[in-house]
Amino acid sequence: MSFELWLTFAAASTALLVIPGPTLMMVLSYAMTQGRRVAVASALGVAVGDLIAMTLSVIGLGALFLASAMAFNILKWVGAVYLIYLGIKMLRSATSASTQSALMDKPAGQTPTRVFRDLATVTALNPKSNTFFVAFVPQFIQADAAFAPQAGILIATFVTIAGINALVFALAANAMRARITRPNFQMWLTRAGGATLIGMGLLTATLRRST
């Protein structure tokens, strides 16, 4: 792969990733309400989820979902139900102002391991990610060169940028958290995160397979 083509891919990926999307909103919510360790875990979860989704897409799973309505619908509904479940769980974790204040420095029932798992699963199961990678990546594959090395370079580049981007946003949000002392803000932010997850689930349920 030429350096110019790689640089174009890196620039395009960066431009796409810095635009706040639903997954990044989840990272911000976790970071601002549950501390630095959870913030880092959420960023790593996004990176691993992107790694899984992009790898599967590049090796042909994404093409399968585009070709098979049943496969796409199965992934779509699994992802939608899981997102809504996480959203409801987050809404229920929003406690009273006094309790939330006491838990400011301690994750409210959300360990870094659980947050990592949830973000990785949400990102990997998002059918929009699979269809996006199938549409986006081939533009940067040279037909006259070996496929595997190019795919490896593109996957490593995108996942690295995605992880760094999520980590920067997460740490910035965590720094803001240290300056926020109003318990009501924490409670409503948790509720907003839960509502965002539910909205993501409903949006995922409305996705249609490209024809």
Side-chain angles (χ1 to χ4, degrees):
M1 175 179 290
S2 67
F3 176 76
E4 292 77 11
L5 186 62
W6 173 85
L7 190 61
T8 301
F9 175 81
S13 298
T14 301
L16 290 168
L17 289 167
V18 296
I19 300 173
T23 303
L24 192 56
M25 292 302 296
M26 289 175 59
V27 172
L28 293 177
S29 178
Y30 278 125
M32 293 187 70
T33 59
Q34 301 189 43
R36 182 182 293 270
R37 290 180 62 200
V38 172
V40 173
S42 67
L44 292 175
V46 170
V48 171
D50 278 330
L51 174 62
I52 295 171
M54 190 174 184
T55 300
L56 293 177
S57 298
V58 170
I59 65 176
L61 184 57
L64 172 63
F65 290 142
L66 288 177
S68 170
M70 180 178 292
F72 181 87
N73 284 329
I74 290 173
L75 184 67
K76 179 183 75 171
W77 286 109
V78 170
V81 170
Y82 191 70
L83 286 168
I84 293 172
Y85 162 75
L86 290 178
I88 293 173
K89 186 170 69 172
M90 184 173 284
L91 285 175
R92 294 179 63 182
S93 73
T95 58
S96 65
S98 58
T99 304
Q100 192 76 12
S101 179
L103 296 176
M104 284 279 288
D105 295 322
K106 182 179 180 181
Q110 296 287 351
T111 64
T113 301
R114 177 178 294 180
V115 170
F116 171 83
R117 181 201 66 196
D118 289 347
L119 267 294
T121 304
V122 166
T123 305
L125 285 179
N126 186 354
K128 192 173 182 180
S129 297
N130 288 280
T131 54
F132 166 77
F133 288 133
V134 168
F136 180 64
V137 174
Q139 304 175 50
F140 302 93
I141 296 290
Q142 295 175 299
D144 58 347
F147 174 80
Q150 294 183 83
I153 291 171
L154 295 179
I155 291 171
T157 300
F158 187 91
V159 171
T160 299
I161 295 174
I164 292 174
N165 178 70
L167 183 61
V168 168
F169 273 95
L171 293 179
N174 183 69
M176 292 176 62
R177 169 186 177 272
R179 296 180 175 86
I180 296 172
T181 58
R182 293 180 296 172
N184 283 334
F185 182 88
Q186 297 287 327
M187 181 174 61
W188 282 105
L189 184 63
T190 300
R191 290 176 177 173
T196 299
L197 280 170
I198 293 173
M200 287 173 60
L202 296 175
L203 180 62
T204 297
T206 65
L207 290 176
R208 293 183 179 273
R209 187 169 62 97
S210 299
T211 56

